[in-house]
Amino acid sequence: MNAHASTARAERPQPVHIGDHLREWRQRRHLSQLDLAGDAEISARHLSFVETGRAAPSREMVLKLAERLEVPLRERNVLLVAAGFAPAFPQRSLDDPALKSARAAIDLVLKAHEPNPALAYDRHWNLVTANRMVAPLLEGIPARLLGQPFNILRLAFHPEGLAPRTVNLAEWSSHLLERLHRQCEATADPELLKLYAELKAFPMPARSGPLSPDNVAIPFKFRLNGEVLSFISTTMIFGTPVDVTLSELALETFFPADDLTTQRMREIAASLT
């Protein structure tokens, strides 16, 4: 997906009929009507009638088709509204009392991960919260890049952000772009498509070659105070969310990839107490 195609796709008119929505999601998942009908245990003829507007699906059918198509919760609400039904999945702030246990779980994970950095971000990669180990790694970054919304990917690619400090910028930026590209394909979110086009416009070095066979993951190599710290990252999501906000939240945790990084993070943590 190139930047021009991404922008054009983001700006095209959105379908308003339930059949148009379903057809787009089916084609996005590279499924035939026969394949989807078989998965959803309905006839291909009936699915064809729904897509062309000759038949109206029930609420249960909309939800079943959305599940088979792995449609994000936010977009499942869109499908329901397009079919004439009320949204099924609430969207609350993380400060809402109903999400108190989820927020406690997030805070617990972030705190427990110290002395290593960890953060949580929303579907557009905007920072939601972070543990205290993140801020020391951002010292010297212009304040305007750290304002709200604080976009993690934009900061990683910006020439005044983390890009000049990233030792393996070619590999790391390619890794991030590939993740974002998969997210764009899975969700068709217009804001993500615009972000993808924006990040593609930043001048990034090309990969010099394949990764060493000794690597088990692409590390994030970060220059700090004249030394190179190396991290590997993991991403966590909530397993069974029924709230839109919670379903779109991701937690990124960074682990030291060598002894030097382990020691330096312990020292930074000690200086913060």
Side-chain angles (χ1 to χ4, degrees):
M1 180 189 298
N2 57 40
H4 177 75
S6 299
T7 303
R9 182 176 174 183
E11 293 178 351
R12 68 184 179 182
Q14 295 298 304
V16 295
H17 186 270
I18 179 60
D20 294 333
H21 283 288
L22 288 173
R23 185 185 306 108
E24 283 208 357
W25 280 107
R26 178 176 60 76
Q27 293 173 346
R28 192 172 293 126
R29 299 296 186 250
H30 306 291
L31 291 173
S32 68
Q33 286 184 341
L34 186 61
D35 291 333
L36 178 56
D39 289 342
E41 299 178 332
I42 62 174
S43 71
R45 176 184 175 86
H46 187 48
L47 177 59
S48 175
F49 280 10
V50 169
E51 287 191 359
T52 57
R54 296 175 64 186
S58 67
R59 184 177 186 276
E60 291 71 24
M61 179 179 290
V62 172
L63 290 173
K64 191 171 188 178
L65 290 171
E67 181 179 359
R68 296 300 186 274
L69 290 167
E70 299 181 347
V71 177
L73 296 191
R74 178 183 297 273
E75 299 304 321
R76 294 188 196 190
N77 280 342
V78 172
L79 292 178
L80 287 167
V81 172
F85 303 107
F89 305 99
Q91 180 179 355
R92 308 176 180 92
S93 164
L94 276 176
D95 296 327
D96 190 291
L99 295 185
K100 181 179 179 180
S101 60
R103 183 58 195 249
I106 294 167
D107 293 340
L108 179 63
V109 170
L110 298 185
K111 177 65 177 177
H113 196 65
E114 295 179 3
N116 301 310
L119 47 85
Y121 52 90
D122 66 17
R123 74 188 193 281
H124 294 145
W125 294 75
N126 293 321
L127 183 70
V128 174
T129 186
N131 68 13
R132 62 178 184 149
M133 304 308 300
V134 172
L137 304 181
L138 303 181
E139 289 184 1
I141 300 292
R144 59 186 174 80
L145 295 182
L146 303 178
Q148 296 299 324
F150 174 174
N151 190 274
I152 296 166
L153 290 184
R154 189 174 291 115
L155 184 71
F157 279 70
H158 201 284
E160 295 180 84
L162 295 180
R165 306 182 185 189
T166 304
V167 176
N168 60 332
L169 182 59
E171 290 76 19
W172 185 246
S173 61
S174 295
H175 162 68
L176 293 179
L177 272 180
E178 288 167 3
R179 285 180 61 181
L180 180 57
H181 180 266
R182 290 195 298 270
Q183 195 176 354
C184 288
E185 288 297 303
T187 66
D189 187 306
E191 290 302 316
L192 287 179
L193 292 167
K194 290 178 182 178
L195 180 62
Y196 182 86
E198 177 187 342
L199 298 183
K200 286 280 287 185
F202 282 113
M204 289 289 130
R207 282 179 173 172
S208 57
L211 291 173
S212 166
D214 295 332
N215 285 353
V216 296
I218 297 176
F220 172 46
K221 295 184 177 181
F222 179 78
R223 187 178 291 106
L224 183 69
N225 299 326
E227 297 179 321
V228 176
L229 305 186
S230 183
F231 299 92
I232 57 175
S233 69
T234 64
T235 305
M236 294 181 285
I237 58 174
F238 283 88
T240 54
V242 292
D243 178 272
V244 172
T245 299
L246 208 56
S247 73
E248 296 172 341
L249 198 68
L251 279 69
E252 194 95 2
T253 54
F254 292 84
F255 293 84
D258 55 35
D259 293 338
L260 172 65
T261 304
T262 299
Q263 181 61 30
R264 292 296 178 265
M265 295 312 299
R266 289 174 178 169
E267 292 171 357
I268 292 173
S271 71
L272 297 175
T273 57

